[in-house]
Amino acid sequence: MKKGTIKFNIFIDKKYNWKKIETNSGTIYLAGELEELQKINSFSNNEIKFKSFLNKQRNHFSFIFKSKYGITAAVDPIRSFPIFYSFNKGNYFFSNSADTLRKKLKLHVFDQLGLKEYVMLGYTLSNRTLLNEIKQIPAGQFFNNKKRLNTYFSYIGKPQKKLKRSSAINLLDDQLNNVFKRLVKKIKEKKVFIPLSGGLDSRLVLAKLLEFGCKNISCFSYGLKNNFETKTARKVCKVLKIDLLELTAEKLNSQDLFQQKKTMDYINFANNLSSSPSFIDFYAIQSLFKKNLSDKNSVLINGQSGDFITGDHIPKEYTGDYSINELFKIIFQKHYSLWSKMKNKNLDLMSQQFNKEIDKVNFPDYEKKKYAFFSRHEYWEWVERQTKWVVNGQRVYDFFNLKWYLPLWEKTFIDYWQRMPYEYKVNQNLYREYLKKYNYKGIFDIPKAIPNPWTGIRKLLPIIVMIRTKI
């Protein structure tokens, strides 16, 4: 090898169960499912074809492909399985584990901005991690042989003009039916577990699975004893004659939880120096295994993130000020809120970074200012909160080696909602009208429960993670 030639190195942490696939043109390390996998090599050196290849993928995936030309690494539109990289001493290093890179390369210098983000939000923004020399590949992006990040997908509204409401509802029904037909075909006779909340999305997942013939289903709820979500889940399961496992979680707040080896193993597994782990799900899945109700051949299917993608997170109250400053104000007040004392001190810094990231994005022209405002709000929440906090909750299932699916994040369903006019998405009005008409066995007549988030423990998690992982 010529002097000065950049080397590409891959460190795969086996605990994440990535597959290694040898091909005539190189080695693929894969998490999830990839259609037409054999075409990676022929497309990886053609940027246009490669973007098209990635955008056609319906399943959740991440992969690192090493060939004689270098490295191509990509994550799906929701960053289902994180990928990290470091440029260190003139060479590139890639891994499915940020902590593995930290240890192998002996890295320890904090990214000061990433550190502040992690404490304020519970996750780092953009491609940052807690360490200065380790970066992550954001949702919908890939690292190519030209040694740079490239975007192939962004969740940006592209409203279809003159789309009749009746047509939109019919299209929604077709999309859902196609998604769940494919899913039922995949899972076959496996035992299916559904975390049933008091909301609409997990209810829809359950209804569609039953409609298309999935029989081996159990639902579970978790949280404080007799919480409103569990009470609602009981009503739904009673109508559908489905078993409901009620997993109470008083122990979640006990001090000894963080002294347990299993807990610490999970923290190290799920945080990846970029996202604080979900502990409500952790306790629930651990309970299923302790009760011998689940095994590694089971499948878990949840309703994430149906509320977001159908429009529920679009600001419901706005003053008519559609400026970038107003947008940041809304997002800052809601999401940078774990430690209120840090807000004023870091307001200007976070505002500058926010504007910088939004300015990088090529948004289309919209017929109304408020739609441009909505689009930017959705984009930020998708690329930051949804993919780094909400979807990172799937690490719980990976930790227990459970196969999982997110049907409401399937690519065709994402594409559908990108095309929907914003007047159909505000307050989920189209989605709710569809559910009212669909109303499988009357379960959507049951009122939606109001969730009761446990903000206290989430506030402490970033601090606990940093102390326990000794970074």
Side-chain angles (χ1 to χ4, degrees):
M1 185 172 288
K2 294 180 181 179
K3 184 178 180 180
T5 301
I6 294 175
K7 295 180 181 179
F8 294 90
N9 306 274
I10 300 174
F11 300 132
I12 295 297
D13 192 324
K14 292 182 179 180
K15 69 174 176 280
Y16 293 102
N17 292 317
W18 283 42
K19 291 171 281 192
K20 182 180 180 181
I21 303 167
E22 298 288 356
T23 71
N24 292 331
S25 52
T27 303
I28 302 169
Y29 297 92
L30 172 68
E33 302 173 20
L34 202 63
E35 298 173 281
E36 299 185 301
L37 179 146
Q38 69 279 4
K39 292 185 178 180
I40 288 180
N41 185 57
S42 58
F43 289 160
S44 62
N45 288 315
N46 185 317
E47 197 167 281
I48 294 175
K49 288 185 177 180
F50 192 60
K51 287 182 178 181
S52 176
F53 168 75
L54 293 174
N55 269 308
K56 288 179 181 177
Q57 299 298 321
R58 294 176 296 189
N59 303 310
H60 304 305
F61 68 87
S62 287
F63 66 84
I64 304 171
F65 173 56
K66 186 175 184 180
S67 70
K68 63 181 180 180
Y69 302 108
I71 291 281
T72 302
V75 299
D76 66 15
I78 60 169
R79 186 185 167 273
S80 295
F81 309 95
I83 294 177
F84 303 89
Y85 64 97
S86 179
F87 186 66
N88 184 269
K89 297 181 180 178
N91 297 311
Y92 276 99
F93 300 84
F94 290 79
S95 182
N96 57 352
S97 165
D99 202 46
T100 295
L101 288 178
R102 174 180 73 89
K103 292 174 179 176
K104 291 278 188 181
L105 303 178
K106 298 180 180 179
L107 303 175
H108 61 272
V109 178
F110 276 113
D111 183 315
Q112 294 300 320
L113 178 57
L115 179 62
K116 289 176 180 178
E117 292 166 346
Y118 194 74
V119 174
M120 293 178 75
L121 295 104
Y123 45 91
T124 57
L125 303 180
S126 188
N127 68 339
R128 287 181 286 279
T129 69
L130 286 172
L131 296 183
N132 194 48
E133 291 186 76
I134 299 178
K135 306 299 180 185
Q136 60 179 306
I137 300 180
Q141 295 190 29
F142 65 94
F143 185 98
N144 63 12
N145 291 326
K146 295 178 181 178
K147 308 174 191 67
R148 63 184 175 90
L149 285 178
N150 208 318
T151 298
Y152 70 89
F153 174 84
S154 293
Y155 189 71
I156 295 173
K158 301 172 183 177
Q160 185 175 333
K161 295 182 179 179
K162 298 180 180 179
L163 178 63
K164 291 182 179 179
R165 194 174 183 86
S166 58
S167 298
I169 287 177
N170 290 335
L171 282 171
L172 176 54
D173 190 53
D174 290 342
Q175 285 292 338
L176 283 167
N177 291 344
N178 291 333
V179 165
F180 281 92
K181 283 177 184 177
R182 286 193 291 269
L183 181 54
V184 170
K185 186 176 180 180
K186 280 183 185 179
I187 59 181
K188 298 178 181 177
E189 300 299 320
K190 289 183 178 179
K191 177 72 173 178
V192 175
F193 284 93
I194 298 175
L196 191 62
S197 69
L200 302 174
D201 308 317
S202 58
R203 208 179 303 185
L204 174 62
V205 167
L206 174 58
K208 284 295 180 182
L209 288 173
L210 290 171
E211 180 184 349
F212 291 105
C214 188
K215 301 183 186 302
N216 195 5
I217 298 176
S218 287
C219 295
F220 65 91
S221 67
Y222 49 86
L224 300 178
K225 190 173 183 180
N226 285 320
N227 68 79
F228 287 109
E229 294 210 67
T230 295
K231 289 179 179 178
T232 302
R234 281 182 205 149
K235 294 175 184 177
V236 172
C237 287
K238 183 177 180 180
V239 171
L240 299 177
K241 298 179 181 179
I242 295 288
D243 292 336
L244 177 68
L245 307 167
E246 297 183 24
L247 307 173
T248 57
E250 285 85 357
K251 290 182 180 180
L252 187 64
N253 293 316
S254 65
Q255 293 182 357
D256 66 348
L257 179 67
F258 293 101
Q259 304 300 323
Q260 298 171 14
K261 183 179 184 302
K262 194 85 169 178
T263 303
M264 296 317 306
D265 288 344
Y266 170 63
I267 286 176
N268 293 331
F269 182 93
N271 84 81
N272 261 318
L273 309 181
S274 56
S275 301
S276 53
S278 167
F279 266 97
I280 300 176
D281 288 21
F282 170 78
Y283 180 80
I285 301 303
Q286 183 172 247
S287 295
L288 288 178
F289 275 90
K290 282 184 176 179
K291 296 174 185 293
N292 294 317
L293 297 171
S294 180
D295 59 43
K296 293 179 181 180
N297 292 316
S298 302
V299 173
L300 196 138
I301 305 172
N302 65 34
Q304 303 286 11
S305 294
D307 57 346
F308 164 75
I309 202 169
T310 59
D312 196 37
H313 294 196
I314 292 173
K316 296 175 176 60
E317 296 180 7
Y318 43 90
T319 62
D321 179 0
Y322 301 119
S323 67
I324 193 73
N325 290 333
E326 181 66 15
L327 177 63
F328 172 72
K329 179 182 176 182
I330 290 172
I331 289 173
F332 187 75
Q333 290 301 323
K334 182 175 181 180
H335 298 297
Y336 292 69
S337 56
L338 291 184
W339 292 92
S340 58
K341 290 183 179 180
M342 293 186 68
K343 279 189 166 184
N344 289 336
K345 186 177 180 180
N346 293 285
L347 176 62
D348 290 342
L349 173 64
M350 296 303 171
S351 177
Q352 290 169 10
Q353 290 299 318
F354 178 84
N355 291 344
K356 181 180 176 181
E357 293 301 324
I358 291 294
D359 285 346
K360 290 179 183 178
V361 183
N362 185 23
F363 291 95
D365 294 328
Y366 295 92
E367 58 181 336
K368 294 184 179 181
K369 288 183 179 179
K370 67 179 179 180
Y371 296 159
F373 188 82
F374 294 163
S375 177
R376 285 158 174 78
H377 185 280
E378 282 194 312
Y379 170 83
W380 185 92
E381 181 163 343
W382 159 73
V383 78
E384 302 298 359
R385 182 179 182 272
Q386 289 296 321
T387 65
K388 293 172 183 172
W389 168 247
V390 178
V391 175
N392 195 61
Q394 303 302 109
R395 298 290 79 75
V396 175
Y397 315 134
D398 291 337
F399 180 74
F400 287 97
N401 204 19
L402 276 174
K403 180 75 174 177
W404 55 264
Y405 293 99
L406 291 173
L408 302 187
W409 271 125
E410 196 198 274
K411 183 60 165 52
T412 57
F413 200 60
I414 296 173
D415 292 341
Y416 167 86
W417 284 105
Q418 272 194 298
R419 299 195 309 272
M420 285 302 103
Y422 278 106
E423 57 264 33
Y424 293 172
K425 294 176 72 174
V426 173
N427 294 318
Q428 295 182 290
N429 68 86
L430 183 81
Y431 181 59
R432 288 173 181 267
E433 182 179 340
Y434 169 78
L435 295 179
K436 185 176 180 180
K437 289 183 177 181
Y438 174 54
N439 202 18
Y440 185 78
K441 298 190 176 181
I443 62 172
F444 291 100
D445 289 332
I446 299 170
K448 177 182 176 180
I450 299 174
N452 183 25
W454 297 352
T455 54
I457 196 165
R458 193 191 159 195
K459 179 178 179 179
L460 293 172
L461 276 174
I463 310 300
I464 293 168
V465 166
M466 288 188 289
I467 292 172
R468 292 293 186 173
T469 52
K470 300 177 182 178
I471 60 175

